[in-house]
Amino acid sequence: MGKKRIGIFGGTFDPPHVGHQILAMEASEQLDLEQVLWVLSPDPPHKIGKIITQIDLRILMVTVAIDENYRFKLSSVDIDRPGPHYVLDTIELLQKQYPSHELVFLMGGDSLHDLPQWHKSKEFIDACDKFGVMRRPGEILDLCELKQSLPGIEDKIEFIDAPLLEISSNQIRQLVFTKKPYRYYLPFEVYKIINEMCLYQELHD
């Protein structure tokens, strides 16, 4: 019998939206994941200098967004340590926390093609057991160039077929800032927090 599998779903989640929930749900089902860890990044290196909502409010939003699904869990692996927070360090720490599990790093197709530019990308590839990559309907991802940069990556990829949802946290922040409708992009409890705490009144990048 193979190892039980845990999905690693990282992000700033500023805010967490229904697209995040759907990707996590589809990954959980299609990749037979025992659990999906939502790894909240307090201060990702690629967003240094940008406005990011304070960590306690993002923890609260993720907590209410995942509350209904017993397979979803908020991981504090990056919250509990000083930055900068690189994914290689995150994976190595999670391997110590879950030594008997197979770790599946979840990402979109765009992020997959950006992998060669990630911090210590080769070491990161080696550290992950598998990669769960979201594939939109009809999308064909060309791995030829990626295989040249990161040999062996093709053996670790498992595709997740997900519905086409053009939703992003950045788009939602822009809608809030410009006072446009945004209610149904979000879990209701997240929507309530944004309203009650008057979040995203400043223009984020």
Side-chain angles (χ1 to χ4, degrees), residues 10-137:
T12 49
F13 301 118
D14 193 14
H17 52 70
V18 294
H20 291 134
Q21 291 178 310
I22 290 170
L23 174 56
M25 175 190 70
E26 292 292 351
S28 175
E29 177 65 23
Q30 294 179 36
L31 303 183
D32 191 25
L33 304 177
E34 180 185 54
Q35 199 166 56
V36 175
L37 297 181
W38 291 55
V39 180
L40 181 57
S41 180
D43 49 0
H46 64 284
K47 294 194 176 182
I48 290 174
K50 297 184 178 181
I51 299 173
I52 302 177
T53 304
Q54 62 194 67
I55 188 64
D56 60 327
L57 290 175
R58 286 186 288 133
I59 290 172
L60 179 60
M61 286 191 286
V62 171
T63 300
V64 299
I66 67 177
D67 183 56
E68 292 182 359
N69 195 313
Y70 72 94
R71 289 189 182 182
F72 295 170
K73 179 182 178 182
L74 173 63
S75 171
S76 62
V77 64
D78 284 346
I79 299 168
D80 294 341
R81 65 189 178 95
H85 299 95
Y86 293 108
V87 287
L88 174 59
D89 303 323
T90 302
I91 289 295
E92 288 176 344
L93 288 168
L94 289 172
Q95 285 173 332
K96 293 176 182 176
Q97 290 183 21
Y98 300 94
S100 61
H101 285 72
E102 185 176 68
L103 300 186
V104 183
F105 191 88
L106 306 178
M107 59 168 50
D110 293 342
S111 296
L112 178 67
H113 284 297
D114 291 339
L115 261 182
Q117 283 74 55
W118 287 26
H119 175 74
K120 295 186 178 179
S121 56
K122 184 63 172 67
E123 291 93 330
F124 173 60
I125 300 298
D126 292 340
C128 290
D129 295 306
K130 295 289 183 180
F131 291 88
V133 179
M134 182 183 70
R135 181 169 55 188
R136 295 169 179 172

